[in-house]
Amino acid sequence: MKGTLDLGRVSGIKVQIHWTFIFLIAWVVFLEVSRGSDMPTVMLSIVFVLVIFGCVVLHELGHALTAKRFGISTRKITLLPIGGVASLERMPEKPKQELLVAVAGPVVNIVIAILLYMVFPIHRFLNLEPEALQESLSAITPQNFVFYLFAANVMLVVFNAIPAFPMDGGRILRAILSMTIDRVQATRIAAALGQLMAVVFFFFGLFYNPLLILIGIFVYFGAQGENVMVQHLALLRGHKVNEAMMTNITVLHPDQSIREVVNIVLSGTEIHFVVSEDQEVLGVLYQSDFIDAMKGKNTDAPVKNFMTTDFEKVGLNEDLADFYRKVRANRKNFFPVLENNHLMGAIDFNNINEYMLIRSSLDY
Amino acid sequence: MKGTLDLGRVSGIKVQIHWTFIFLIAWVVFLEVSRGSDMPTVMLSIVFVLVIFGCVVLHELGHALTAKRFGISTRKITLLPIGGVASLERMPEKPKQELLVAVAGPVVNIVIAILLYMVFPIHRFLNLEPEALQESLSAITPQNFVFYLFAANVMLVVFNAIPAFPMDGGRILRAILSMTIDRVQATRIAAALGQLMAVVFFFFGLFYNPLLILIGIFVYFGAQGENVMVQHLALLRGHKVNEAMMTNITVLHPDQSIREVVNIVLSGTEIHFVVSEDQEVLGVLYQSDFIDAMKGKNTDAPVKNFMTTDFEKVGLNEDLADFYRKVRANRKNFFPVLENNHLMGAIDFNNINEYMLIRSSLDY
């Protein structure tokens, strides 16, 4: 994601903060100032938000480190104004593992809440009469800071328990459902419930808290995206790259000029090319490569000067589902297909989509 | 747009209401109920919202009927919870005409406000002391209904005067800028200002009115979209279809089977096809056509049973900018290119995008 600030690494996982986070801080400052808080209170509120997001990082690390135990690595943890996102390489498909990974996040907040309760005199607040409690919590102070933190962690647990896939509660639901029914069907149900909850969030957001509007939008499209992915992986599983790959492709010679490539591009539907000489694949000329060449006025230069040589290859018999995951995570989504170093064809994202569209129409 | 309810036609322009409009009504009801309003007040609020949106329709008709005077027709007017949108076939490119079209909307609300002022005793409210005014306007009543309506029309004028392209004020700004500078440059400036204002709307929405969040999102992407379109049209103007069209395409015979088409699709990058026999173009087989055929288990049926015969054609020398407008408005964006009834090639949206990418890289 663009516009992020790296905070460092924990167990090899990059922790990033998204630039829009500044809006959250600005919002908090504005709310405090508009209710007439003094400078120390404003500062305390900012510190509070930062500490809460510290807890969110720990929550996400709960997911990530549990996933690691099942051999699944996490690329990064990103903090957005509406919460954290751990980018796991993939979700475990065994229901029990997925359940553990999903539960591990909220468990971290439960542990934090219990620790705070044991170390600090939080029971004093909980023993107060409702009115006295409300009174003593009307503004954040150094005295009630820890209680606020305790309450926020409890809220994080409660909020994440809502079964709005792809939020934790929704993942837990999907995992539990997949113990008795097909995972694809379980995902469909969890995603539908998630989208329904998203509409509820959106609507509540209009009345109570605008951040809920954003969370609603996030959950709605998140549920849709993950549902589509699971349906797709189910369609592709057991099929091989050679069933979907393109064989009718233009293979470039390294000495062909960029101008010739542009003519090929305009005259047809291909945009990425394999570059090969004497049966050997030397590189890939991505669309971005020839566009770069043209920006540098190198229209007459040979293809070999601009091709990408550290491209990824795919094997003829690689599983399409595994390959689909790889493609989704890769910006350059065009791959030569090789067998014993011989070029057999190429495969790209559109190609797989086409294959899925055709396959799903047959199951109709 | 899907999920709309047709309200009828005015001067041949379809007036539609988007289904999300129900949220606006629900929101108004909720706000009234939560502040303890009685049933008649709730009903009056709903009537008020509907009357305001009547004024919005008149506002949009102001744009549409002014555009009609310059020979530009309007496909429809859609009412969204955040306002109305008139889908003009295109914006006039002459700054003076664009200015008149953009101004015509707010002028309608000014006229409504003046008429209300002249017919009803609105000056009575305006002469009140600030506190008395606030008091008498705390809730909507049959007595202050017309004043509310007057105020809402004034607000519509003020809000639309904000220079947030593509809102009216932004269009007015673009039109005025284009009187002295290049229209492409003027659009770039107006769009940048629009996106800045959108961020401000979004931010204010977090504190004051969640509808502003939605308007902010709408303006942000609207500004981006219109800016891209104007830059593209400028790139394409003066160029002809034959410069960008594909000539290296697979032409199907009407008796070829759907199965053969699927093999062609999977083996290469083409997804739509021209169907031709004896030099005569008989139809187009769109991706959706062969997918439909497969869903109906007609894999062995000939292409001619599923091809689209009322397809649109393009001339070899048609202006690319005009064609681009047509393509953007058309869901089926693949067109055979003909000259004297002879097939010369085909052109689609990706193809034009590729052409623009290549052209803009040369201008880099």
Side-chain angles (χ1 to χ4, degrees):
Chain A
M1 212 178 287
K2 276 182 199 171
T4 55
L5 177 73
D6 281 6
L7 296 185
R9 278 174 185 275
V10 184
S11 301
I13 300 160
K14 221 193 280 179
V15 179
Q16 301 182 323
I17 194 158
H18 195 259
W19 70 270
T20 50
F21 199 83
I22 197 90
F23 282 123
L24 185 70
I25 302 293
W27 190 39
V28 168
V29 171
F30 182 93
L31 287 182
E32 287 294 342
V33 169
S34 69
R35 68 160 76 157
S37 303
D38 55 5
M39 199 54 182
T41 306
V42 175
M43 294 307 290
L44 202 63
S45 293
I46 295 175
V47 170
F48 182 71
V49 170
L50 296 179
V51 172
I52 288 297
F53 272 79
C55 295
V56 170
V57 171
L58 295 176
H59 173 117
E60 299 303 331
L61 280 173
H63 294 308
L65 298 181
T66 310
K68 202 174 184 180
R69 289 196 46 196
F70 303 125
I72 297 166
S73 63
T74 299
R75 279 173 287 129
K76 61 187 179 191
I77 290 170
T78 309
L79 293 179
L80 298 166
I82 56 172
V85 176
S87 305
L88 271 62
E89 184 193 40
R90 61 188 170 83
M91 278 308 284
E93 299 200 358
K94 287 183 191 156
K96 217 170 159 182
Q97 294 185 357
E98 175 171 36
L99 185 62
L100 288 173
V101 170
V103 163
V107 162
V108 168
N109 300 108
I110 293 174
V111 170
I112 294 172
I114 291 174
L115 287 177
L116 290 174
Y117 188 86
M118 292 192 327
V119 175
F120 297 95
I122 281 164
H123 56 277
R124 264 201 277 157
F125 287 95
L126 294 175
N127 292 338
L128 287 174
E129 293 293 312
E131 289 105 52
L133 180 65
Q134 216 175 351
E135 169 76 11
S136 70
L137 294 179
S138 62
I140 197 163
T141 62
Q143 289 75 42
N144 66 19
F145 187 90
V146 176
F147 181 71
Y148 264 69
L149 195 57
F150 170 81
N153 274 285
V154 172
M155 284 297 293
L156 276 177
V157 175
V158 171
F159 191 69
N160 273 298
I162 298 173
F165 186 79
M167 279 171 42
D168 293 345
R171 288 196 188 280
I172 292 169
L173 174 71
R174 196 254 301 260
I176 293 171
L177 287 175
S178 346
M179 287 173 186
T180 51
I181 62 169
D182 175 41
R183 189 164 180 269
V184 174
Q185 187 61 15
T187 306
R188 198 175 282 142
I189 293 168
L193 187 61
Q195 293 195 310
L196 183 70
M197 298 299 302
V199 172
V200 174
F201 285 170
F202 187 92
F203 204 61
F204 265 70
L206 288 176
F207 308 124
Y208 299 114
N209 187 338
L211 282 185
L212 274 178
I213 296 179
L214 303 181
I215 292 175
I217 294 173
F218 199 81
V219 167
Y220 191 91
F221 291 104
Q224 191 170 49
E226 296 225 14
N227 185 33
V228 166
M229 196 180 73
V230 170
Q231 313 294 330
H232 283 179
L233 288 174
L235 260 179
L236 296 177
R237 190 153 300 124
H239 293 276
K240 305 281 176 206
V241 164
N242 70 346
E243 295 176 55
M245 72 177 184
M246 300 175 283
T247 48
N248 181 21
I249 53 169
T250 305
V251 177
L252 301 178
H253 186 276
D255 292 327
Q256 272 186 279
S257 71
I258 294 294
R259 185 189 305 276
E260 285 174 78
V261 175
V262 168
N263 287 335
I264 296 170
V265 167
L266 286 178
S267 71
T269 45
E270 291 175 272
I271 53 173
H272 307 299
F273 300 89
V274 179
V275 184
S276 172
E277 187 176 18
D278 299 334
Q279 304 274 4
E280 197 195 343
V281 176
L282 302 173
V284 172
L285 190 78
Y286 295 107
Q287 184 188 46
S288 54
D289 293 333
F290 67 75
I291 294 297
D292 282 348
M294 292 188 69
K295 281 184 183 166
K297 316 275 178 234
N298 293 298
T299 324
D300 294 312
V303 157
K304 63 184 173 197
N305 294 5
F306 290 94
M307 68 186 182
T308 302
T309 50
D310 61 336
F311 57 94
E312 273 193 77
K313 300 157 198 159
V314 196
L316 202 59
N317 291 312
E318 200 168 308
D319 188 76
L320 265 176
D322 295 337
F323 175 67
Y324 179 70
R325 272 214 200 80
K326 189 155 83 184
V327 170
R328 278 178 63 109
N330 202 320
R331 280 177 158 242
K332 302 216 157 165
N333 53 42
F334 173 87
F335 305 82
V337 181
L338 293 134
E339 164 111 312
N340 303 326
N341 278 324
H342 272 69
L343 182 66
M344 307 303 287
I347 191 162
D348 70 4
F349 196 54
N350 293 333
N351 192 216
I352 301 179
N353 277 331
E354 201 65 43
Y355 179 75
M356 287 190 293
L357 187 63
I358 289 168
R359 277 204 63 76
S360 62
S361 71
L362 286 173
D363 298 343
Y364 199 70
Chain B
M1 213 177 286
K2 275 182 197 173
T4 54
L5 177 72
D6 280 7
L7 296 185
R9 279 173 184 277
V10 184
S11 301
I13 301 159
K14 221 193 281 179
V15 179
Q16 300 181 323
I17 194 158
H18 195 259
W19 70 271
T20 49
F21 199 83
I22 197 89
F23 283 122
L24 185 70
I25 302 294
W27 190 40
V28 168
V29 170
F30 182 94
L31 288 181
E32 287 293 342
V33 168
S34 69
R35 68 159 78 155
S37 303
D38 55 5
M39 198 55 182
T41 305
V42 175
M43 294 306 291
L44 202 63
S45 292
I46 295 175
V47 170
F48 181 71
V49 169
L50 296 179
V51 172
I52 288 297
F53 272 79
C55 295
V56 170
V57 171
L58 295 176
H59 172 117
E60 299 302 331
L61 280 173
H63 295 307
L65 298 180
T66 311
K68 203 175 183 179
R69 287 195 48 195
F70 303 125
I72 296 166
S73 64
T74 299
R75 279 173 289 129
K76 62 187 179 193
I77 290 171
T78 309
L79 293 178
L80 299 166
I82 56 172
V85 176
S87 305
L88 272 62
E89 184 193 43
R90 59 187 172 85
M91 280 307 285
E93 299 201 357
K94 287 183 191 153
K96 218 170 159 185
Q97 294 186 355
E98 177 171 36
L99 184 63
L100 288 173
V101 170
V103 162
V107 160
V108 168
N109 300 107
I110 292 174
V111 169
I112 294 173
I114 291 174
L115 286 178
L116 289 174
Y117 189 87
M118 292 194 323
V119 174
F120 297 94
I122 281 164
H123 56 276
R124 264 201 278 156
F125 287 96
L126 295 175
N127 292 338
L128 287 174
E129 293 293 312
E131 289 105 53
L133 181 64
Q134 214 173 354
E135 170 76 10
S136 70
L137 293 179
S138 62
I140 196 165
T141 62
Q143 288 75 43
N144 65 20
F145 188 90
V146 177
F147 181 70
Y148 264 70
L149 194 58
F150 170 82
N153 274 284
V154 172
M155 284 297 293
L156 277 176
V157 175
V158 171
F159 190 69
N160 274 299
I162 299 173
F165 187 79
M167 278 170 43
D168 294 345
R171 288 196 188 280
I172 292 170
L173 174 70
R174 197 253 302 258
I176 292 171
L177 287 176
S178 347
M179 286 172 187
T180 49
I181 61 170
D182 175 40
R183 188 163 180 269
V184 174
Q185 187 60 16
T187 305
R188 198 175 281 142
I189 294 168
L193 187 61
Q195 292 196 310
L196 184 70
M197 298 300 301
V199 172
V200 174
F201 286 169
F202 186 92
F203 203 62
F204 265 69
L206 288 176
F207 308 123
Y208 299 114
N209 188 338
L211 282 185
L212 274 178
I213 295 179
L214 303 181
I215 293 175
I217 295 172
F218 199 82
V219 167
Y220 190 90
F221 291 103
Q224 188 170 51
E226 296 225 16
N227 183 33
V228 166
M229 196 179 74
V230 170
Q231 315 293 331
H232 283 179
L233 287 175
L235 260 179
L236 296 177
R237 190 152 299 125
H239 293 275
K240 304 283 175 202
V241 163
N242 70 346
E243 295 175 54
M245 72 176 183
M246 300 175 281
T247 49
N248 180 21
I249 54 170
T250 305
V251 178
L252 300 178
H253 187 275
D255 292 326
Q256 273 185 281
S257 72
I258 294 295
R259 186 188 306 276
E260 285 174 78
V261 175
V262 168
N263 287 336
I264 295 170
V265 167
L266 286 177
S267 71
T269 45
E270 291 175 90
I271 53 172
H272 307 299
F273 300 90
V274 178
V275 184
S276 171
E277 188 177 18
D278 300 333
Q279 304 275 2
E280 197 195 343
V281 176
L282 302 174
V284 172
L285 191 79
Y286 296 107
Q287 184 188 44
S288 56
D289 293 332
F290 67 76
I291 294 296
D292 282 347
M294 293 188 70
K295 281 183 183 166
K297 316 273 181 234
N298 292 299
T299 324
D300 294 312
V303 157
K304 63 183 169 197
N305 294 6
F306 290 93
M307 69 187 183
T308 302
T309 49
D310 62 334
F311 58 92
E312 274 194 76
K313 301 156 199 159
V314 195
L316 203 59
N317 291 311
E318 201 168 307
D319 187 77
L320 265 176
D322 294 338
F323 175 67
Y324 180 71
R325 271 213 200 83
K326 189 154 82 183
V327 170
R328 278 177 63 109
N330 203 320
R331 281 178 156 240
K332 303 215 157 166
N333 54 42
F334 172 85
F335 305 82
V337 181
L338 293 135
E339 165 109 315
N340 304 325
N341 278 324
H342 272 69
L343 182 66
M344 308 303 289
I347 190 161
D348 69 5
F349 197 54
N350 293 332
N351 191 217
I352 300 178
N353 278 330
E354 200 66 44
Y355 179 75
M356 287 190 292
L357 188 62
I358 289 168
R359 276 205 62 77
S360 62
S361 70
L362 285 173
D363 298 343
Y364 197 68

